[in-house]
Amino acid sequence: MLNTASLPDLIFTVLFFFMIVTHMRKVTLKVKYQTPQGTELTRLVKKSAVTYLFVGKNNGNSDSISIQVNDKITSLAMLEDYIIAERSGMSSEDREQMVVAIKADHGVPMGLISDVKQALRRAKVYHISYIGEEKELKRQDF
């Protein structure tokens, strides 16, 4: 006979481990993007005041580039209004520390990113963060 008295403890320990390690995705992605790589990256500290803005190819149509703010696809013309509405729903402390994190595909034209930045500036959002992947520096031996 095999003693299975400690089996529930083991199962709950493994379940607890996966609950701690796994990150739940808050936003359903509707655009495809591949983040560019960088060498001088830092982490965002307060995530309650962060609004994520995704810029990339539309999942349904691979030729058009879409802008997604949190869970909604928006146009460049409506971006300013959407950010203002998002900001008005925050607490006064978060409103002052609001950061828009741009996750853009590496193939998105820089002119579109500049237009997005201008729309954010008109919405009085001055803290903009760009999301990228860490790039390993190649060591050169002399």
Side-chain angles (χ1 to χ4, degrees), residues 31-50:
V31 296
K32 295 180 190 175
Y33 71 94
Q34 182 180 359
T35 55
Q37 295 182 341
T39 56
E40 301 296 324
L41 303 177
T42 58
R43 294 197 180 274
L44 293 173
V45 178
K46 188 170 184 178
K47 295 196 177 193
S48 65
V50 176

Side-chain angles (χ1 to χ4, degrees), residues 8-105:
D9 293 337
L10 179 67
I11 290 173
F12 283 121
T13 303
V14 171
L15 178 66
F16 183 70
F17 171 76
F18 283 115
M19 286 174 53
I20 296 294
V21 173
T22 310
H23 297 284
M24 301 303 274
R25 180 170 286 181
K26 295 179 183 177
V27 176
T28 304
L29 292 179
K30 298 176 184 171
V31 296
K32 295 180 190 175
Y33 71 94
Q34 182 180 359
T35 55
Q37 295 182 341
T39 56
E40 301 296 324
L41 303 177
T42 58
R43 294 197 180 274
L44 293 173
V45 178
K46 188 170 184 178
K47 295 196 177 193
S48 65
V50 176
T51 300
Y52 291 97
L53 193 135
F54 303 93
V55 182
K57 294 181 180 178
N58 195 345
N59 279 340
N61 183 1
S62 63
D63 293 335
S64 67
I65 295 177
S66 298
I67 301 170
Q68 177 182 343
V69 182
N70 295 332
D71 272 336
K72 297 192 179 193
I73 298 281
T74 185
S75 65
L76 187 60
M78 297 297 296
L79 179 62
E80 179 181 349
D81 296 332
Y82 189 84
I83 293 295
I84 291 171
E86 185 80 20
R87 188 176 181 176
S88 66
M90 293 181 170
S91 68
S92 61
E93 180 182 319
D94 286 346
R95 199 175 301 142
E96 291 175 12
Q97 298 178 359
M98 182 180 184
V99 175
V100 173
I102 298 176
K103 292 184 176 185
D105 186 67

Side-chain angles (χ1 to χ4, degrees), residues 121-138:
R121 190 173 292 159
R122 287 190 302 271
K124 295 184 175 44
V125 175
Y126 303 117
H127 300 285
I128 300 172
S129 175
Y130 299 97
I131 306 295
E133 294 178 0
E134 183 112 26
K135 180 179 181 180
E136 290 186 25
L137 293 175
K138 295 181 181 176

